[in-house]
Amino acid sequence: MAKDLQNYLDAFEKAYPQHLLRIRKELDPLNHEVAAIMKHLVNEGRYPIVLFEKVRDVNRNSSRFPYVDNLFSTRELCALALGLAPEKSGMEMSLEFSRREAAAIEPVVIDRKAAPVKEVVRSGNDVDVGELPAARYHEMDVGPYLTMMDVMKGEGGFYEVSFVKHLILDARTMTVSLHHSLRKHLLNIVQENEAKGIKTPMALVLGHHPAFSLGAGALTPYGNNDYGTIGSIMEEPVRLVASETWGESFLVPADSEIVVEGEVIPGRREVQNPFGEYSGYYQPQCLMPVMTVTAMTHRKNAIMQGVFPGHSSHFNMGSIPKEGSLYKEIKKIAPEVTAVFMPHSGVGRASCYVSIKKKREGDAKHAGLMPFLQAGQIQYVVVVDDDVNVFDEQEVLWAIITRLNITKGVDLIKNMPRYDRVLIDATRPLDRPFPEKNRIPEEVMKRIKLSDYTG
Amino acid sequence: MALKENIFWVKCPKCAGKFYADKELRHDKEHKLRCPFCQNRFLDSESPEIFE
């Protein structure tokens, strides 16, 4: 059986029923009600997968589609999505992701009769994306947004898959949020087509196995066939099927829950936002390309997947696909690197903690410069010794407070694209005497068991 | 992290709700702003209050 969202959720609920929360009372996502439940869970420190069984759609009717969120809300959930044990959710998971990312499993094309996403097909004027339970999450969000994966096809035939949001404007029109970030692969494709005055075919994948979404975040170069990379991340070929709009010339994931097909209209722009983004702030209203919806296909019992913006799923989707690649690139020039972590406090994108087994002065700066070159959104790098657990932010801050030489250990790196960068060396100095970290003898820790002296 | 700072705050002439937009939309005569609170569409020149 091919991997998909529903067989993943079924297996997950059997194995971890306490970590899948079913909300059975109807909620209105457009009125922030889904977001309110999600925020209450955050406030309680709970991060289950949440399946909202009854939700209203954009047209304010009871939606035929349930809504699922929080699939990536903890590193343990991400490990499970990748088929790994939860206890391997640290550096081991990041390195495994990087190993798979470097390979490819080519997709296979199947007949439409065998494609679950073709169980219900509508096209042209029969389509109404207002039937989707799109959400307004934060108070100032301008309207209903879809937050999932987009597929476009670049010149030469490669497929680009990325995480993008869409503001629904009417039954068959929505914006396509393509920003001028450093990794603007989808925008490149649209701009290349706009220069020729032609429409850009695209598809939204509103639900698939969670490894599909994580795979779409891989640090692949422009021109990479992302279906192959995603297959490698999923450890099986992505099954594709001909689209309704363009047939065999544009293939969509056959095991998706819902696929919305459409065309980006060259030169047309419409306002979208404010939208509460991963930064924790509202992205300002701005102009974005516009797509006309041409078809919508889905399973009979499809579940729509989304990501609660600016919270842990959103952060992990940004960080986990990058950490292993960063580790490997740092390792090439600084073999003393021991771990890499992109914390939630840096929204999984803007900051990076690197630990090293320091051998000489300068090692920290040597290792710490590489993340800036590899991931354009990283603005802050902190390098610590290998006795500091980079996955424990309190330990990293302790290292900064106790080991940073403020005069020598902070480098401002100017004149890089978009913004300046800061590199903090919070490692112990080796060129002068330095105090030793407190430690209880290891032999005593092993010999004296807490359980022998309590209860 | 670096947030987009080339923005302007604007007050909706219909509901008085305040939100912000990218500077590219300042003095734009073609694209009307959309109020996130009441969905009113208006040009920034119609706003009773702009902070930039």
Side-chain angles (χ1 to χ4, degrees):
Chain A
M1 187 192 294
K3 288 182 178 175
D4 63 27
L5 178 62
Q6 302 212 15
N7 58 34
Y8 176 79
L9 289 175
D10 288 345
F12 181 86
E13 190 169 28
K14 281 183 185 129
Y16 305 99
Q18 72 277 26
H19 294 298
L20 194 148
L21 179 63
R22 288 179 176 270
I23 304 288
R24 296 195 165 90
K25 289 184 181 172
E26 187 171 86
L27 291 163
D28 183 3
L30 199 54
N31 198 26
H32 314 281
E33 292 178 1
V34 160
I37 294 289
M38 301 290 288
K39 193 67 176 179
H40 280 307
L41 289 168
V42 170
N43 291 344
E44 291 181 8
R46 297 168 64 195
Y47 298 93
I49 293 175
V50 189
L51 180 58
F52 297 91
E53 295 184 355
K54 291 180 185 172
V55 279
R56 289 193 170 268
D57 63 21
V58 174
N59 297 331
R60 318 315 286 268
N61 300 314
S62 291
S63 177
R64 69 165 73 193
F65 306 108
Y67 174 78
V68 68
D69 206 320
N70 255 12
L71 284 154
F72 314 102
S73 59
T74 65
R75 291 183 73 92
E76 288 77 12
L77 282 176
C78 294
L80 288 167
L82 295 170
L84 302 173
E87 56 270 23
K88 293 187 176 178
S89 61
M91 202 62 229
E92 205 167 346
M93 171 171 66
S94 304
L95 289 173
E96 174 60 14
F97 188 96
S98 175
R99 185 193 68 75
R100 295 184 198 177
E101 177 188 78
I105 295 178
E106 292 308 311
V108 295
V109 180
I110 66 169
D111 189 88
R112 56 181 294 118
K113 289 177 186 162
V117 77
K118 299 291 190 184
E119 286 173 0
V120 179
V121 175
R122 280 179 291 168
S123 56
N125 289 329
D126 289 338
V127 181
D128 180 2
V129 292
E131 293 177 10
L132 298 168
R136 288 172 79 204
Y137 298 94
H138 297 97
E139 188 173 15
M140 208 195 283
D141 286 357
V142 76
Y145 277 88
L146 300 169
T147 53
M148 258 294 117
M149 298 300 147
D150 278 11
V151 183
M152 289 186 191
K153 194 173 182 182
E155 199 166 305
F158 69 93
Y159 286 93
E160 171 70 33
V161 188
S162 291
F163 182 61
V164 178
K165 67 178 182 281
H166 298 263
L167 169 66
I168 293 177
L169 298 172
D170 61 42
R172 291 187 55 210
T173 315
M174 56 179 89
T175 63
V176 189
S177 190
L178 304 174
H179 289 273
H180 288 268
S181 61
L182 291 175
R183 285 173 55 78
K184 48 181 182 177
H185 296 178
L186 293 176
L187 182 59
N188 282 349
I189 293 171
V190 169
Q191 288 178 332
E192 283 173 11
N193 288 334
E194 285 191 324
K196 298 174 196 162
I198 59 175
K199 298 173 183 173
T200 302
M202 64 174 299
L204 284 67
V205 179
L206 300 174
H208 205 302
H209 189 279
F212 182 99
S213 307
L214 286 173
L219 274 180
T220 52
Y222 187 64
N224 180 69
N225 190 357
D226 287 352
Y227 280 145
T229 305
I230 291 168
S232 182
I233 299 296
M234 293 177 72
E235 294 192 298
E236 68 176 37
V238 176
R239 300 199 313 163
L240 301 176
V241 64
S243 58
E244 294 304 303
T245 313
W246 312 280
E248 300 284 342
S249 67
F250 191 102
L251 300 168
V252 297
D255 296 301
S256 310
E257 295 296 307
I258 303 165
V259 165
V260 178
E261 300 175 10
E263 295 170 320
V264 183
I265 311 302
R268 186 173 165 197
R269 297 291 184 270
E270 182 52 270
V271 294
Q272 72 162 29
N273 297 345
F275 179 79
E277 261 290 358
Y278 62 79
S279 62
Y281 293 85
Y282 293 101
Q283 215 167 36
Q285 194 153 102
C286 60
L287 293 173
M288 279 294 150
V290 176
M291 71 178 280
T292 299
V293 175
T294 53
M296 183 161 79
T297 73
H298 58 85
R299 294 163 182 256
K300 282 179 183 165
N301 60 343
I303 299 171
M304 195 179 98
Q305 186 183 349
V307 174
F308 184 29
H311 291 81
S312 57
S313 274
H314 205 175
F315 302 153
N316 285 333
M317 289 174 76
S319 63
I320 288 166
K322 297 187 182 78
E323 290 166 356
S325 296
L326 289 172
Y327 176 91
K328 284 188 174 176
E329 290 303 315
I330 296 169
K331 192 91 175 168
K332 286 178 185 171
I333 62 158
E336 58 276 11
V337 63
T338 55
V340 173
F341 176 53
M342 297 175 72
H344 287 190
S345 61
V347 300
R349 289 157 178 80
S351 59
C352 179
Y353 301 156
V354 179
S355 61
I356 61 170
K357 196 176 279 293
K358 184 175 172 181
K359 294 193 173 81
R360 65 196 76 80
E361 288 305 310
D363 279 354
K365 282 175 189 161
H366 198 206
L369 284 169
M370 182 58 86
F372 296 132
L373 306 175
Q374 289 298 312
Q377 285 180 299
I378 294 177
Q379 201 176 355
Y380 302 90
V381 172
V382 179
V383 184
V384 296
D385 294 293
D386 67 333
D387 66 336
V388 173
N389 177 10
V390 292
F391 293 95
D392 184 336
E393 193 144 49
Q394 188 166 328
E395 285 197 30
V396 174
L397 289 172
W398 171 82
I400 292 173
I401 299 298
T402 61
R403 296 180 182 178
L404 170 64
N405 178 325
I406 294 172
T407 308
K408 291 172 65 179
V410 180
D411 283 292
L412 178 61
I413 302 156
K414 292 185 173 180
N415 302 314
M416 290 192 72
R418 297 181 77 198
Y419 31 65
D420 297 335
R421 268 71 169 174
V422 179
L423 171 53
I424 295 173
D425 175 358
T427 59
R428 280 176 303 220
L430 297 178
D431 57 356
R432 62 182 186 278
F434 194 78
E436 183 60 39
K437 183 181 174 183
N438 301 346
R439 185 180 300 126
I440 294 162
E442 198 175 328
E443 175 274 322
V444 181
M445 284 299 289
K446 284 182 179 167
R447 180 166 49 82
I448 303 296
K449 308 261 190 251
L450 185 62
S451 55
D452 292 342
Y453 293 85
T454 58
Chain B
M1 64 186 295
L3 300 172
K4 202 171 181 68
E5 291 180 2
N6 52 339
I7 59 172
F8 64 100
W9 279 85
V10 62
K11 183 191 265 189
C12 172
K14 185 177 170 191
C15 75
K18 291 180 180 178
F19 62 100
Y20 51 92
D22 191 295
K23 269 285 178 69
E24 69 176 345
L25 285 164
R26 185 80 174 102
H27 306 302
D28 190 322
K29 305 290 183 207
E30 185 184 350
H31 300 97
K32 288 187 172 181
L33 300 172
R34 183 193 300 268
C35 174
F37 306 107
C38 70
Q39 302 297 312
N40 179 38
R41 302 296 304 265
F42 63 99
L43 293 171
D44 66 344
S45 57
E46 301 170 61
S47 170
E49 186 180 319
I50 285 183
F51 175 61
E52 59 185 326

